[in-house]
Amino acid sequence: MVAAEIIGTAAARGSGTTRKRRVVGTKGLFGIEAAKNEADSVDNEIDFGDRGDVIVGSFSDEAVARLEKKSDVRYVEDDIEVYALEQTKPWGIDRVDADVVHGNGKTGEGAHIAILDTGIDSDHPDLQANVGEGYAVEECSGGDCNEDWDDDHSHGTHCAGIANAVDNGKGVVGVSTEATLHAVKVLSGEGSGSASGVAEGIKWAADQGYGVLSMSLGASSGSSTIQDALQYAQERDCVIIAAAGNAGPCTDCVHYPGAYPEAMAVGSTAEGDAMSEFSSTGEEVEICAPGSDVLSCVKDGDYKKYSGTSMATPHVAGAAGLLRAQGLSAEETRKRLTETAEDLGHDSNEQGAGLLNVEKAVGDGGGGDEPDEPDEPEPTPLGVETGSVTELGETEATLGGNLTGLGDSSSATVGFRYWESGDREGTEQTVEVGSRDATGEFSQAVTGLTAEVSYQFLAYATDGDSEVTGAAVEFTTGSGLNVSTAPATNVGGNTATLVGNLQGLGDFDEADVGFHYWAEGKKKATLEIREVGERTSPGEFTFDISDLRTDTTYVFVAYGDPDWSEAEDFGSELTFTTGSTDDPDEPDEPDEPDEPDEPDEPNPDAPFAVEATGTDWVTRGAAKLVGELTRMDDGVGRVQTEFQYWMKGNKSSTFAVDDADTLYRPGEIDEMVWGLRRGETHVSRIRAWDDNGNEVFSDEFEFVTQS
């Protein structure tokens, strides 16, 4: 069997003085210098532009511990090994109807496809005419190397032939036939390489402006270095195609980088349209393509059959090349491939959107056929949203709604429908609230509910001729901790406001509330947790998000947690879809988020002082912040302190740890914070005040959560 897989995982760090090849993600010159100063040796430096640099080298455990505490270091991770594993035997051009578009003159001419793999045989008769410039992270070895990026293994050549072998009447033909292939050799002839090497290859291809990146490689664990590179490439309009992995039969086992949202994860099918037994499954699978027994090129001018998601991936990459040649952007290409895929009837976590359909995706060509420019929809005559549940008890609840539009009517009748979850037909009740001649919120108390039963409800509005309803929202009667999710509001191109409702605390005095959210179909790779804060009484809570992807459906759910370990309660899962941009006329012009309304130097003459010293430790979603009350003059009875923190670039949504420490003498302070965004830079500081109205802030410091 031959498959390219990143299969290495970072080994646990021991307590001794071990030195290993590691990768340090930095930001700013201070981070770069800190990493270089701590390194026993530096092997490589990769510049990802605004995302920061990566320093690759040998670092001791002690050096890693020091670097992880520095605000100018985004992450430190082992440089995992990569392997190309042999697979069994390939076929698929006919099944995806690529030959049909060739007959219509669609060949991919003008597109550039980068094959990140073991290289490409520069002399192969089916590839030679299409091979352009290449790049070698791992140089070709042996006597048959015309270029540093030549293939001394065969896996990369095989993938290149599937994507873009010439139509010369001999050997095989690719999905596209006249695109330019670029060998990015990140794996050696023995099939080994490194995560930093893959990242370096991705960056090189993106810097050249190549529109399609094909990666038949994967790992069961993620790599921040590779994700940095993927995001760098995505920002440069590259469509990224990656293998789902060959771990099947399995569940929720899509490999990285395919599991990352920046990449299209490709599953594999066999002849007869069955899913290949080896194909990894999971909600991240976006599309599938032929991958069993596929015939293609190998080194030394030969041909062989291989199997694997490694073979399915270049089918999709070749189709992406055909679309890029028509002028479609990376985002348009990705959307077109999934929207035109053929549903094979398998579960979505196996086939994704379905089987690649090249003929339907490519169509008649010409600037992409303007596929995503639908006619302006007619305005909805009425608009209504389902709100939250308030005053929830064992047998009663108050339902909320919002009439958002009247259309052409002067008034509308509004109300609610509610039912026991799972039995709408047998238990649905309707309660009419009354007529409204203006938009606005409305509510209605309902009684006679059954204790400790889950219900769903929705708001409706009718003008006599037509009726509209809001989304269904779930709630549960009873006296325990109870949280519900309400529909998101203020949804834009990359923004949304998540809405939840703490309906009851039960026997608890307080609960931390917040949200989980993720891109639909990619929960494992995109799950984020946002803590809103502590609540001591029922009521609505919200969280504003400003870094979402455009044209993407998200799933979110509200939660309540009294102690982070027991009695956690979740509402129902709801969805929302972002638009193309928040403002198409003036995109990406945020309002100076790092300048909130606060004094730059609050009371410098205060009779006490605080210093933030950083973090004791940081995980993917939490951190322990530490600092010190360094001075406390005579006459000051006590000083209260709190840590404030926010995600860098979004200071307007600052959080504070509510349970402030009270100090009666100088000393150390620390606090745990939760619900942080993984793999992101956060900023924190200490606020301190006394009983006389004096207030001071420490200097700000930065820390980066793990990915």
Side-chain angles (χ1 to χ4, degrees), residues 23-33 35 44-56 71-75 199-200 203 207 224-233 235-236 648 679-681 702 704:
V23 183
V24 181
T26 69
K27 56 181 178 181
L29 296 176
F30 290 113
I32 296 171
E33 291 305 312
N44 197 8
E45 179 176 349
I46 309 173
D47 180 3
F48 289 121
D50 291 340
R51 302 198 61 79
D53 283 25
V54 162
I55 306 300
V56 184
S71 61
D72 296 305
V73 172
R74 294 182 292 127
Y75 56 82
E200 181 182 345
K203 180 183 184 297
D207 284 342
S224 297
T225 315
I226 290 178
Q227 190 174 24
D228 268 350
L230 295 178
Q231 292 170 349
Y232 181 90
E235 290 165 359
R236 284 151 181 80
K648 187 174 181 180
E680 293 288 349
T681 301
E702 297 181 0
V704 181

Side-chain angles (χ1 to χ4, degrees), residues 165-187:
V166 297
D167 188 1
N168 58 4
K170 296 180 287 186
V172 296
V173 63
V175 174
S176 62
T177 60
E178 292 185 328
T180 302
L181 289 166
H182 301 277
V184 185
K185 185 171 171 55
V186 296
L187 304 176

